[in-house]
Amino acid sequence: MKKGNNIVGAGLGFSLVCALPVLLPIRGRELFYTNSIAAFLLWILLTLLMSRILKHGFSGGKRRWLLPGIFAALFSQAMTFGAGLEQNGSVAFREIRLWAGAAALSVNGALIVRFVWDLLLERQEAGEDGGKERKGGLRSFFLTAAGIFICYLPVFLAVYPGFFVYDAQDELMQVVTRNFSTHHPLLHVLLLGGVVQLVHKLGGSYNLGIALYTLLQMAALSCIYAWGIGRLKGEGAGRTFRILSAVYFGLFPVLVMFSLCSAKDGLFTGMLFMMVLLLRSMIRDPGRFLKSRADVLLFAVSSLLMMLLRHNGFYAFAVFSLGMFLFERALGFAAGRKKLLFLFGGIFAGFLLVNQALALALHADDSENQELLTVPIQQMARVYSMEGDTLSREEKDTLHEILPEEALRRYTPKVSDGVKVDFDNEAYSRDPARYLRLWLKIGVRHPFAYLNAWFMTSYGFWYPDAVIDVYRGNSVFTFTYGDSSYFGYEVEEPGRRESKIPALDELYRRMSLEIAQQRIPVLSMLFSPGFLFWSAAFLIGFLWYGKRGRRAAAYMLPALVWLTVILGPTYLVRYVVFLWALAPVLLFDAGFELWKK
C-alpha cells in the first residue's frame, strides 16, 4: 500500500508540475522551465506532499468528497482562467492544455483541501475546552473603540483632510446645485454633501467639512468594529484574539483607507459587518434573538442602511431573505416564522418608503439604466471593437442608437466607464426588447467574446494574482494612474491635501498608486481581493464540511453581495472591503473551539 501511494503520489506530483505553466507567466515550450532542474526538484517536493496526503486514509464515503471537489474545481478554473486574462487579456477556451491543466489541479486540489479540512477538524476536536461566554460591557466597548480610533488618527493627519475621492465631487455638487440623481445612493449624497457644504457655509472651508465628515465616519466605524469584537467576546472569544482583532481593525491599511475615505463603501461595509454578526445570532437561536429588542432594532437599522448605501445591497438582501424562508426548517426558523416575516417585511417596506421619499423630495433623476446593463454594454463593445467586421450594417446601426461610435471606440477591457457614460437611456427606454434581441443575436455568434468581456471586468475579484491597474493612463485631479489603481488616494476638488505627516502620507500614496506591497511575497496576498475571496470560500466550505452549515448560512449574505459586484463595471478593492472586515469573524467561526480560551 505504501509503495502504491508513492507511485500515485509521483504521478500526481508530475501532473502538477505539468499544470504549473497555465497558472504562472511561463510557457511549457520554453526550455528554462521544461529543461530545468528546478522543475525536477519541484516534482520531488510535490511527490512527497501528495504521497503523504494519500497515506491519510480518507473515510466517510463519496459524499465527503463533494465539497472539497467543488471547491478545488472552481478554484482551479479561476486560477487557469485568471492567468490567461492577466497575461493575454482573454481566456483561450479552445486550448486543450488549459483544460488539462485545470483537471490536474482539480484532482490534486480536492485531495489537498480534504486533507487540510480533516486535519483542522481533528485539531478542533482535540482542542475543545467548552469555554464560557463573557459579557462585553460598556467599558470594554469604549476602550476598544477609542483604541481603534486612535490608530486611525496618525493616518488622518498624514492624509488630511481625508480621502475625498470616488465620485466625491459629484455627490457634493448635487447638494450644492440641488440637482440630484439616483446614480449615487441619495442617503450618502445627503450625508457627505450635507456635512461638507454645511461646514463650508459656516466656516468658509471645504477642507474643514471634509475633515469633519472623515472624523465622523472614523468614529462610527471604530464603534461598529468595537461592538463586533464585544459580540465575539460574549461568544467566548479569548483575550489574545480580541486584542489582535482590534489591532487589525485599527492598523490594517485596507480597512484604514476606507475608514478615512468619503466613498460609501466604508459605511456600507460597517452595516454589512453588523448584519452578519446579528444574523449569526438569529440563526443560532431565533427565539432568543427575537426576544432581544436591541438586536432586532440593530438588525433592522443596519439592514435598512446597508440597502440605502449601495444599490446592490437591496438585490443581495432580497435574494438572501427569500433563501432564508425557503430553507426555514433547516435553519430552525419554523417556530418564529411569523415574527421573522414581519421583521423582514418591515425592513423592505421601510427601504422602499425611504428610498422613494428621498427621490420624490429631491426631484432626483432616475432615468439611468447603464449601471444595471454594465455587462451587456461591455460585451457588445468588445465584439464591436475586436470583431466589428463580423457585425452587419443593420446590427451596427441598431447598436449606435444606444451607444455612439465614439463611445464604442473608447472600449477598454478592464473597465466599462468609458463606454457606458454615453449610453442613450432615452433611446433604450423606448424599446428595451429591441436591444435585448440585438445583444442575444450577437452573443450567439460570439459566446467566448462575451465571456471574456465579463471576465475582464471581474477577474480581479476571483483571481488572487491579479494586478489592480484598471485605470492605467486615466488622469484625475492631481495625478495620472500608472501601474496600480489599488486605491484612489487623492483629495478631489474643492478639497486640497494638507499633510501633517508627509512620510506616512507617502507610504499610503505608494500603497495606493504604485506596485509596492505587491512586490513582497506572501504579504501581497493579504492585499489581494481574489485571495481574500478564496480564503473566505475555503473557511465557509470548511464550516459546511464540518456539518456546521447553520453557522455558515449567515455568510451567504456577503456572498450574494460579492455576486452582485462581479456584474459591475470593473474590479476595485472598494467594492469588496467587507471581505477584510469579516475576516476575523469568519476565522473565529471556523476555529471556534480553539479561540474559546
Side-chain angles (χ1 to χ4, degrees), residues 429-460:
S429 298
R430 285 196 293 267
D431 191 359
R434 170 180 171 83
Y435 306 108
L436 174 61
R437 288 193 297 270
L438 175 67
W439 173 71
L440 289 171
K441 185 178 179 182
I442 297 173
V444 168
R445 300 202 310 269
H446 301 276
F448 293 151
Y450 269 30
L451 283 173
N452 279 317
W454 176 36
F455 288 164
M456 282 301 292
T457 57
S458 66
Y459 79 99

Side-chain angles (χ1 to χ4, degrees), residues 262-341:
S262 63
K264 52 190 170 286
D265 309 290
L267 290 175
F268 174 86
T269 293
M271 295 304 106
L272 187 58
F273 176 81
M274 291 181 67
M275 289 180 70
V276 170
L277 281 160
L278 291 163
L279 281 167
R280 291 166 67 256
S281 299
M282 181 191 297
I283 294 170
R284 184 168 59 245
D285 191 343
R288 184 178 178 182
F289 176 86
L290 291 169
K291 289 178 182 178
S292 172
R293 293 182 180 179
D295 281 358
V296 170
L297 180 61
L298 280 175
F299 181 74
V301 171
S302 59
S303 301
L304 179 62
L305 291 176
M306 187 272 292
M307 292 188 285
L308 289 170
L309 284 167
R310 273 226 315 240
H311 299 312
N312 60 321
F314 169 76
Y315 303 115
F317 189 58
V319 175
F320 177 79
S321 301
L322 178 62
M324 282 185 61
F325 291 104
L326 286 176
F327 299 99
E328 61 180 20
R329 290 189 179 278
L331 295 172
F333 290 155
R337 187 173 188 272
K338 290 183 179 179
K339 290 182 179 180
L340 285 171
L341 277 171

